[in-house]
Amino acid sequence: MRYLEVTVPKGRRRAVLDVLDDEGIDYVVSDETSGRGFAAVVRFPLPTRAVEPVLDRLNRAGISDDTRVVVIDAETVISQEFDDLLDQHSHGGTKGSRTSRQVLRTKAEELTPAFPIYVTMLLISAVVATAGLLADSPAVVVGSMVIAPLIGPALAANVGIVTGDDGLTSTGFTYQATGLAIVVGASIGLAVLARLAGLEPAGVDIVVVAELQERVSPNVLSLAVALGAGVAGILSLTRGFSEAIVGVMIAAALIPPAAAVGITVAWGMYGAAIGAAVLVIVNVLSINFAALTTLWIAGYRPQGLFEVSPTRKPTYAYATIFGVALLVLAAPLVGVTLVEFQATQLKSAADEEVDAVLAEPEYNHLEVESTEVLLDDDYPLRSVDRVVVTVSSSDPGPMPALTDHLHEGITTHADGPVVVEVRFVVAEDREGDASEQIVHTSSGDRDS
């Protein structure tokens, strides 16, 4: 529920009161004596759904943008007229709380902090995210998402588009671009310092860190997170849900990948940096596309009938730009997804082949320990590099026949040439530990 206070210009008092009477609104009128061109002040409660259509009618009755309109939350309204009005605007029995267009703009602006505060919070978030990724700590990475103030700019830009507020649109997009640049730059600086200090938890190949690996070689499922964040962000803004919780979701789609870009650049792994950068851009496009589409479907338009058509064109233009760019940049994600699908299929086929071969009588003394399908390091578009089969045996010698047999069976399921590496793990009873001897075959040739 909302409580409105509207100043009525001179000469428009009767027109305004006629609108309120026609809507069945219970109002109070006070004379305005400041001498600033206003005749009266009208105060009245409204269901949240009724704010936008009533203000639109008042606008046509002479309440222009120069007039003061105050909209505040109301805890409780005890009035039969208000109950009737609530039923009238319940839309088939659903007494939802769709935020009015006017309040939506204000909320979007409030969620966008002052620029110095915005920069400071993002710098802190970047430092925490970089430390969390380097330490492979999910808890620390989550902490970086909580403090990142990205929900405001992400939503403000699209609220500005659908309501015809160019200033809000420009501010939203500027904040988004600047914020991500700050995160990447800060992450590069911190990662360089970490590397110079010898803080390399995974050695030279830093991307083997689990928290990094999933962000430098993203698959198409990453789109679901960003699209969901965009939709949830708008719903939180328009339906009164917790913006803080949704803000974490939006930050989750942007802060860790942006920090991953900085870390991989500092380590000189530019292929991995490209993969993370693609994920950042795709997520930005997804959030904005989902937010813009959700706002338009929800029926948000600029004020006045004659303003709808001009604003429809830029809305469609932005949606087209977002959609086309998203489709183009999503292609690498689809490629990564296909490779992962192929690796999963090859893993399943290799498991069956290994079980079938070791079931033969001459290999009764062997036991399979694991079967792994490993990808190469050509980020972001990786491919299957080799299949590693680990078996345990009491016989310390290599078994070329077994190696050839496994290679022949596994490669028939691969789409191209693939290395099949067989590792023999031999237990040594006297020491109580194990030694490892590796024999592998590649393209029909065997090396040991």
Side-chain angles (χ1 to χ4, degrees), residues 120-143:
T120 302
M121 294 299 290
L122 279 180
L123 285 173
I124 297 172
S125 179
V127 170
V128 175
T130 304
L133 291 174
L134 289 173
D136 198 19
S137 173
V140 176
V141 174
V142 171

Side-chain angles (χ1 to χ4, degrees), residues 6-9 11-20 22-23 50-67 69 89 101-102 301-308:
V6 180
T7 53
V8 181
R12 309 307 304 170
R13 176 172 178 156
R14 186 67 264 163
V16 169
L17 296 184
D18 286 343
V19 169
L20 300 182
D22 185 58
E23 290 284 345
V51 173
E52 186 171 357
V54 168
L55 286 181
D56 286 345
R57 287 199 62 183
L58 289 175
N59 179 262
R60 293 191 289 272
I63 302 299
S64 64
D65 291 338
D66 295 332
T67 303
V69 177
H89 289 274
R101 179 184 64 253
Q102 295 83 357
R301 304 289 188 274
Q303 185 169 334
L305 295 176
F306 299 104
E307 296 182 40
V308 173

Side-chain angles (χ1 to χ4, degrees), residues 249-273:
M249 187 176 181
I250 291 177
L254 299 177
I255 294 296
V261 174
I263 292 172
T264 48
V265 167
W267 254 260
M269 304 186 68
Y270 300 113

Side-chain angles (χ1 to χ4, degrees), residues 7-10 30-41 68:
T7 53
V8 181
K10 290 182 179 179
S30 302
D31 291 334
E32 216 286 329
T33 59
S34 67
R36 292 179 294 175
F38 299 109
V41 177
R68 187 184 70 211

Side-chain angles (χ1 to χ4, degrees), residues 84-267:
D84 295 339
L85 194 63
L86 188 61
D87 291 335
Q88 178 185 337
H89 289 274
S90 64
H91 290 241
T94 303
K95 298 182 181 180
S97 56
R98 177 186 183 272
T99 302
S100 66
R101 179 184 64 253
Q102 295 83 357
V103 175
L104 186 67
R105 286 182 180 179
T106 302
K107 291 180 70 174
E109 291 173 349
E110 289 176 349
L111 286 173
T112 304
F115 193 72
I117 299 298
Y118 181 71
V119 171
T120 302
M121 294 299 290
L122 279 180
L123 285 173
I124 297 172
S125 179
V127 170
V128 175
T130 304
L133 291 174
L134 289 173
D136 198 19
S137 173
V140 176
V141 174
V142 171
S144 71
M145 305 171 192
V146 174
I147 60 179
L150 290 176
I151 183 172
L155 302 185
N158 298 284
V159 170
I161 292 172
V162 298
T163 59
D165 190 332
D166 294 337
L168 193 59
T169 301
S170 176
T171 299
F173 284 133
T174 300
Y175 267 57
Q176 288 183 64
T178 305
L180 292 175
I182 289 171
V183 174
V184 172
S187 298
I188 291 175
L190 183 60
V192 168
L193 292 176
R195 192 175 185 188
L196 292 176
L199 302 177
E200 301 182 13
V204 177
D205 189 10
I206 189 66
V207 294
V208 301
V209 174
E211 285 293 314
L212 269 173
Q213 194 168 46
E214 63 187 62
R215 293 175 172 97
V216 299
S217 186
N219 58 32
V220 81
L221 294 177
S222 303
L223 286 173
V225 176
L227 290 171
V231 174
I234 292 302
L235 291 179
S236 71
L237 201 62
T238 60
R239 303 293 174 174
F241 302 144
S242 173
E243 290 93 356
I245 296 175
V246 179
V248 174
M249 187 176 181
I250 291 177
L254 299 177
I255 294 296
V261 174
I263 292 172
T264 48
V265 167
W267 254 260

